[in-house]
Amino acid sequence: SSTMSSSCPSVPSHRHRRSSRRSTGCWDALDTDSQALSALGQFQTLPLEIFHMVLKYLSVKDISTLSMVSKTLSQHLIHYISTSAGTRRLLLQDFHNLELPGRREGASVLEHYKSLGLLFKRCTLLLPTRDRLKYVHKVLSEVSCFKLSGCASPLHCLGLKCYGVFLQILTAGWDELECHRVFNFLWELSNLARKVQTVVSSRAGSARKLELRIRLYCRRVLLNHWIHRSDSAFWLTRILKPWPIVNQARLLYIIFGPVSSLDGHVVWQKMVEGPTDETSLKGLAEAIKLLYGTEAREWTADDVISLVDELSVVPQEWLMENNARLLLLSGNNICFTFMASKAVNGRAVELARLMVFMTLVCEKDLYCMDWVVRMMQKVCRVFSTPWERNNFLQCLENAFAHMLMDMLQAVLAGGHDEEDNSFLNLFHLVNAQANFHKEILYLAMRSSPST
């Protein structure tokens, strides 16, 4: 050690210290570069252009796996996605063909965007939610079919569906606060608040094209792709909750109500003009069940019942048969809660008419009539006094009699040379009444003591 010290030239101490700091900084920089290069693995020997060429031979799933190797490699892939070559490769935009050319046989455009959602999820894993959303928007903003009004033929376009599955994969596993941010981001980005305000405050059908686009965007982007009911309930709640209940009912009809098979536009008079079928009501019933279920924590039973009540006058008062059919499709719990609320509020006459129409729907749609009898028994237990229960039963029989007389009068007034369903309706109601009372007699005989 002394020999080495004596052989070195004498250097002023302050210069030695400065030189020492500069030397250490150079080595730190070299260490940083070395770490970055080692994080690239075997790709460190390739120029960036060659690296991008290699990526062309990898599937989107393989690229997403590659992004998990290191932070450095992930940053390189983020840069690649933003390049024109990456955009052309990854953002397939021919959404009007079922199968896209140049892809593996059997692979669909929806599967491609599922894989792309996973790639974006992994590449942006270390970024805050706000920055992740900004990056996603920056990359996807040029795809016109991902926008609410971006496609000239939305009914025959897969763009919104692809956007929906992309977002579903991207946000899967995110906590509720992050999903709130996602919804607010999409809500502002698509200017949905103003557009929804337009359709819920205008005359029904006056903005048919906008109604259709809102329906497609809400269903295909926000609602249809979730596996768990809790996720579907969360997003449907986000759509409906900002509005008063009158607008909630109107918006629910726009999103889930019946549409024309010709042009896809909402059919507003479907529930008003005549009896409808289960297909027209199935979407509304499923939405009501979703909001009533335990997954929708922000909705009380009273909220859902009030929404169903408000829905029955959109755009005008529905036929009672359609009300009864919707309640039957919505399930036992909702049906009972709705009818019990009428019993508690002293609306026995209205409740009796609804019960009669339930027997008619069960007869027409081939449901078991004993279901109506059991429902009647449960409702009768809600009444607080025997007089109220007996009054309801009397109203029920009166409702049968009045409906039969009304239908008979319609048959007698109808012409023989025109297409008229009056006789068929009368036929169904007579059978419904007979089967209903038959089940009551069976019940009475089973409960009576044997002799």
Side-chain angles (χ1 to χ4, degrees):
S1 173
S2 60
T3 305
M4 291 179 65
S5 299
S6 61
S7 63
C8 291
S10 177
V11 179
S13 60
H14 67 278
R15 292 186 60 189
H16 173 74
R17 286 195 299 273
R18 187 174 62 185
S19 175
S20 175
R21 287 197 300 271
R22 183 167 60 246
S23 175
T24 303
C26 292
W27 281 109
D28 286 344
L30 289 174
D31 286 345
T32 302
D33 293 342
S34 176
Q35 291 172 3
L37 289 172
S38 64
L40 288 173
Q42 298 298 323
F43 293 109
Q44 66 182 350
T45 61
L46 297 178
L48 188 60
E49 294 81 2
I50 303 299
F51 176 65
H52 287 179
M53 292 177 65
V54 171
L55 294 178
K56 293 181 180 179
Y57 293 92
L58 298 179
S59 68
V60 180
K61 286 185 178 179
D62 291 337
I63 296 175
S64 69
T65 303
L66 188 62
S67 70
M68 301 294 288
V69 171
S70 67
K71 180 179 178 181
T72 305
L73 195 51
S74 179
Q75 291 172 342
H76 276 275
L77 291 174
I78 288 177
H79 171 70
Y80 167 72
I81 293 172
S82 302
T83 63
S84 58
T87 299
R88 286 194 304 271
R89 160 79 194 285
L90 298 174
L91 297 184
L92 304 176
Q93 297 190 39
D94 189 0
F95 300 114
H96 301 88
N97 292 327
L98 295 179
E99 291 294 335
L100 301 180
R103 284 149 34 89
R104 297 193 308 273
E105 183 178 356
S108 70
V109 65
L110 291 173
E111 291 169 350
H112 172 83
Y113 275 94
K114 285 183 181 179
S115 301
L116 192 64
L118 185 61
L119 171 58
F120 275 67
K121 186 185 190 77
R122 290 174 171 175
C123 281
T124 62
L125 189 62
L126 301 178
L127 297 177
T129 301
R130 190 180 305 275
D131 294 338
R132 297 176 90 172
L133 295 175
K134 287 181 179 178
Y135 172 72
V136 168
H137 172 61
K138 179 182 177 182
V139 176
L140 302 185
S141 60
E142 298 303 318
V143 183
S144 61
C145 289
F146 286 171
K147 301 174 183 177
L148 188 145
S149 301
C151 181
S153 181
L155 274 178
H156 307 98
C157 178
L158 291 175
L160 293 180
K161 287 185 178 180
C162 291
Y163 193 29
V165 298
F166 173 90
L167 288 173
Q168 188 267 325
I169 297 296
L170 176 71
T171 60
W174 290 17
D175 63 35
E176 194 167 293
L177 179 60
E178 290 175 317
C179 291
H180 270 279
R181 290 172 178 165
V182 173
F183 178 81
N184 292 336
F185 182 82
L186 295 172
W187 194 257
E188 295 173 7
L189 187 65
S190 57
N191 201 13
L192 262 174
R194 183 179 63 82
K195 294 173 180 176
V196 169
Q197 179 65 50
T198 298
V199 298
V200 297
S201 59
S202 303
R203 181 174 55 84
S206 61
R208 298 170 70 236
K209 291 184 178 179
L210 185 56
E211 290 170 357
L212 172 61
R213 290 187 180 276
I214 290 174
R215 177 189 178 97
L216 294 178
Y217 190 89
C218 289
R219 290 178 68 127
R220 295 180 177 181
V221 176
L222 302 177
L223 297 173
N224 281 2
H225 306 290
W226 300 104
I227 299 172
H228 303 293
R229 291 180 60 83
S230 57
D231 292 323
S232 300
F234 170 84
W235 290 97
L236 182 55
T237 300
R238 300 281 70 75
I239 293 171
L240 296 179
K241 272 296 184 180
W243 307 99
I245 189 168
V246 175
N247 293 344
Q248 287 178 6
R250 177 74 68 93
L251 187 53
L252 195 70
Y253 194 97
I254 289 173
I255 298 173
F256 296 104
V259 294
S260 168
S261 58
L262 299 177
D263 55 16
H265 291 130
V266 178
V267 183
W268 287 100
Q269 299 299 318
K270 184 82 170 179
M271 308 302 173
V272 179
E273 293 177 342
T276 188
D277 55 6
E278 291 186 359
T279 304
S280 300
L281 290 164
K282 187 176 181 181
L284 289 170
E286 290 299 322
I288 291 168
K289 284 195 287 188
L290 190 66
L291 297 177
Y292 191 84
T294 56
E295 300 88 356
R297 301 190 304 273
E298 298 175 54
W299 297 83
T300 65
D302 287 341
D303 291 336
V304 179
I305 296 307
S306 298
L307 182 59
V308 174
D309 215 13
E310 192 65 43
L311 184 65
S312 66
V313 293
V314 174
Q316 291 101 30
E317 186 174 357
W318 290 12
L319 294 182
M320 190 67 82
E321 182 177 331
N322 293 333
N323 283 332
R325 186 170 278 108
L326 176 64
L327 288 172
L328 282 165
L329 293 174
S330 298
N332 290 352
N333 292 334
I334 295 173
C335 189
F336 170 72
T337 305
F338 185 85
M339 299 180 76
S341 68
K342 292 188 180 299
V344 170
N345 292 314
R347 298 159 70 177
V349 175
E350 185 178 342
L351 176 60
R353 289 191 72 243
L354 181 59
M355 186 71 73
V356 171
F357 275 103
M358 283 189 169
T359 66
L360 181 61
V361 171
C362 285
E363 179 66 27
K364 284 186 174 182
D365 297 351
L366 304 179
Y367 292 113
C368 294
M369 194 62 71
D370 65 336
W371 179 90
V372 185
V373 175
R374 291 197 302 271
M375 184 61 65
M376 182 193 67
Q377 287 181 296
K378 290 181 66 176
V379 171
C380 284
R381 298 188 190 105
V382 175
F383 293 106
S384 56
T385 65
W387 182 89
E388 291 177 327
R389 182 181 65 249
N390 293 338
N391 177 62
F392 163 67
L393 295 176
Q394 182 63 57
C395 291
L396 182 61
E397 293 304 320
N398 290 341
F400 267 117
H402 291 158
M403 283 184 59
L404 284 169
M405 292 301 296
D406 290 342
M407 289 189 178
L408 180 59
Q409 185 176 4
V411 170
L412 296 176
H416 298 287
D417 56 347
E418 62 183 74
E419 185 178 352
D420 188 7
N421 292 324
S422 301
F423 182 79
L424 185 60
N425 287 333
L426 177 61
F427 171 80
H428 284 306
L429 183 59
V430 170
N431 279 334
Q433 185 183 34
N435 289 326
F436 177 72
H437 287 103
K438 179 189 68 176
E439 293 296 335
I440 292 177
L441 290 174
Y442 286 164
L443 184 65
M445 293 302 295
R446 285 196 297 268
S447 59
S448 63
S450 58
T451 57

